[in-house]
Amino acid sequence: NQEAFDLTNQLCHVTMRCCPKNVNFSTLITEIKVPKKELWSERPGSDEPVNFKKLVASAWLEQVVERPGDVVSYQFNHSQWEQPDAMDKFMVELLKEASEIIRECPTIILGTVNLGLNDIPDPFGSFLEPKTLSMWGHEAKQQPHFKKDLAGGDLSVQDLLDFIMTSAGMKESVKCMEGVAGRFDKPRLRELQRHKFRDEL
């Protein structure tokens, strides 16, 4: 996923060399989009926590691309009547737990997107696959970071927090997370490092 996304962006930059230097690449991506009415999309969630969202195709630009700050998304794929498998259920709970821990960091949003019910606008949708975790960093939304190994969902909350801290694009996000982590005592750290999914299987 990461390699394919990087390659396509390189090709796009080469193609767009004829554009004036003051043309913003991310703005062009935003403007080249499928009209919302043509997208297959769920409705955005209601009464959601401030920093944990259901990401949907019709609001993808507002929720992810145009939003200042860092956005973490977990992608899964199932039909409207299909029950998510154990890994998807666990990853959703993992993101919810992480979002609660860093709720005081307003520049970071975590969320999930069901690719089976949402046609994410290109070029973003072309690279998203089920059971992947992405960081859409601040001012780098066209080049997301993918966590390379989800270990079948066998992650700890600490694994997720480490991924967010090392891939976040906004300095405020990193500083806030460092402040949160600095308050963890040893029992709390052991709890965050526990592999709950492995324990539940």
Side-chain angles (χ1 to χ4, degrees):
N1 290 338
Q2 186 74 57
E3 290 78 7
F5 207 102
D6 291 344
L7 175 60
T8 298
N9 273 304
Q10 290 175 17
L11 293 174
C12 288
H13 282 295
V14 170
T15 304
M16 293 167 61
R17 281 177 181 169
C18 58
C19 296
K21 292 183 178 179
N22 61 349
V23 172
N24 186 288
F25 178 59
S26 61
T27 300
L28 287 175
I29 285 183
T30 301
E31 293 175 351
I32 303 173
K33 60 185 179 182
V34 179
K36 291 181 181 179
K37 64 181 180 181
E38 297 181 7
L39 294 173
W40 179 259
S41 176
E42 294 181 284
R43 292 179 180 273
S46 58
D47 299 324
E48 294 179 313
V50 174
N51 64 338
F52 185 83
K53 303 292 183 182
K54 179 173 77 171
L55 305 174
V56 299
S58 62
W60 185 259
L61 295 176
E62 294 86 350
Q63 290 179 318
V64 179
V65 182
E66 297 171 350
R67 183 188 182 280
D70 300 296
V71 181
V72 180
S73 66
Y74 175 69
Q75 289 74 229
F76 58 89
N77 187 337
H78 58 78
S79 69
Q80 187 172 357
W81 299 277
E82 183 181 2
Q83 292 296 318
D85 62 19
M87 176 179 173
D88 290 343
K89 287 181 179 179
F90 177 75
M91 289 299 298
V92 171
E93 292 305 314
L94 197 68
L95 263 71
K96 287 182 178 179
E97 186 171 348
S99 70
E100 180 64 21
I101 292 172
I102 59 175
R103 63 184 181 278
E104 64 187 69
C105 302
T107 59
I108 306 173
I109 293 293
L110 288 77
T112 61
V113 56
N114 184 353
L115 300 178
L117 299 178
N118 291 277
D119 294 329
I120 303 302
D122 287 333
F124 310 98
S126 303
F127 300 93
L128 294 180
E129 296 181 357
K131 301 186 186 304
T132 57
L133 185 69
S134 312
M135 162 61 85
W136 308 84
H138 177 65
E139 295 186 344
K141 301 296 174 68
Q142 70 272 24
Q143 293 182 307
H145 291 278
F146 292 88
K147 184 165 177 53
K148 294 184 177 180
D149 185 11
L150 295 185
D154 189 18
L155 302 177
S156 67
V157 178
Q158 187 65 57
D159 291 330
L160 179 54
L161 295 176
D162 289 344
F163 170 70
I164 297 172
M165 185 176 293
T166 57
S167 58
M170 184 173 269
K171 292 181 180 179
E172 290 84 346
S173 298
V174 177
K175 184 177 180 179
C176 183
M177 290 196 66
E178 289 175 343
V180 172
R183 297 195 295 270
F184 295 155
D185 56 19
K186 289 184 178 180
R188 182 59 168 151
L189 283 173
R190 285 195 293 270
E191 171 63 19
L192 294 176
Q193 293 167 358
R194 187 165 70 88
H195 288 239
K196 297 180 182 179
F197 186 52
R198 180 192 305 166
D199 297 341
E200 293 173 3
L201 292 178

